[in-house]
Amino acid sequence: MTGQLKDHLRLYLVTDPQLCAQTGIVETVRRAVAGGVTMVQLRAKHATTAQRIDLAMALKAALQGTGVPLVINDDVTAAVAADADGAHIGQGDIAPDKARAMLGPDRILGLSCETPQTVRDADPAYVDYLGLGPVFGTDTKTDHAQPTGFDGLADLIALSSLPNVAIGGLKPDHIDGVLASGADGMAVVSAICGQADPKAAARAFHSFKPEHKT
Ligand SMILES: Cc1ncc(COP(=O)(O)OP(=O)(O)O)c(N)n1
Ligand SMILES: Cc1nc(C(=O)O)sc1CCOP(=O)(O)O
Ligand SMILES: [Mg+2]
């Protein structure tokens, strides 16, 4: 599971329905997957659970047959109702043990960690991967924590054996720095959502190939 999950984490598209509005979230995801995206998150911060379920069902249909997992941000109820592949939660969201109880043993659970203590506290009994950041400041998440930079990211990665994905202000120019930090994946929003050509935007990350990849 861990090796396969690391492969999925390699280029992780976190979708923002507002940012994707021009192309549409489903079409953005379709094109981004054609460009090499390996995992997708529905992050609809202003939606209701019912709206998230509808969006998740549409994304699931678009992802069918691709092998690309769909994870729902914040809303474990929506993840289960839509039969998504998993959920992503942060430190201020539902507790990991409660999320795991709702998701069951097989769905993916991701947890955001911004500090050494939160990384140490992430319990592999409940959590499958860590979202680490923000690496850089970003307008996409206005309430983000202090950026870690590449050195801070490497320090967080060293504290846990859980698979991880770096997030926050990441662009193709950062591929070498993220690789050197030891991350398993790069998670991006604005580098793909809202770009005129989501497929080309995803392709620009193709050289991100962590060590465990053959
Ligand atoms: C892959 C990934 N990493 C981190 C986050 C941030 O989650 P959270 O801290 O709960 O903040 P919101 O995204 O809910 O605003 C994420 N969504 N995905
Ligand atoms: C959703 C999210 N989580 C973050 C964290 O630090 O946990 S930063 C972030 C937004 C990332 O967007 P962009 O790729 O446009 O910078
Ligand atoms: Mg959250």
Side-chain angles (χ1 to χ4, degrees):
M1 160 75 165
T2 296
Q4 202 195 350
L5 180 57
K6 285 185 179 182
D7 289 343
H8 286 311
L9 290 170
R10 187 168 58 80
L11 180 54
Y12 184 162
L13 173 61
V14 177
T15 60
D16 178 317
Q18 268 87 40
L19 260 185
C20 291
Q22 193 157 355
T23 304
I25 187 168
V26 172
E27 190 56 25
T28 298
V29 164
R30 264 203 197 98
R31 294 185 197 177
V33 168
V37 157
T38 51
M39 184 152 163
V40 172
Q41 179 186 124
L42 171 62
R43 179 175 182 265
K45 293 300 289 186
H46 306 296
T48 62
T49 291
Q51 289 167 334
R52 289 192 187 113
I53 294 168
D54 285 349
L55 281 168
M57 298 302 283
L59 290 175
K60 245 182 77 168
L63 291 171
Q64 192 162 17
T66 64
V68 171
L70 174 68
V71 160
I72 312 301
N73 187 50
D74 289 343
D75 193 335
V76 180
T77 300
V80 173
D83 194 21
D85 298 293
H88 185 98
I89 55 172
Q91 298 295 323
D93 298 319
I94 183 174
D97 59 340
K98 292 197 171 68
R100 174 55 68 198
M102 290 170 70
L103 290 167
D106 296 332
R107 287 196 183 89
I108 300 165
L109 179 60
L111 175 69
S112 307
C113 296
E114 298 90 11
T115 63
Q117 194 55 51
T118 55
V119 173
R120 285 191 205 98
D121 288 346
D123 188 341
Y126 308 121
V127 175
D128 295 310
Y129 76 89
L130 305 180
L132 302 176
V135 183
F136 299 113
T138 172
D139 291 338
T140 307
K141 180 170 165 62
T142 47
D143 60 343
H144 68 69
Q146 181 74 14
T148 62
F150 293 131
D151 289 346
L153 173 64
D155 291 346
L156 294 179
I157 289 170
L159 294 173
S160 174
S161 57
L162 279 166
N164 65 77
V165 64
I167 190 165
L170 297 177
K171 310 294 175 201
D173 280 356
H174 300 128
I175 288 171
D176 289 347
V178 176
L179 273 177
S181 303
D184 297 314
M186 294 178 78
V188 301
V189 185
S190 54
I192 295 180
C193 287
Q195 297 297 317
D197 186 343
K199 182 175 174 180
R203 273 202 178 137
F205 288 91
H206 83 276
S207 65
F208 183 79
K209 291 195 171 66
E211 286 266 297
H212 73 275
K213 296 278 299 173
T214 48

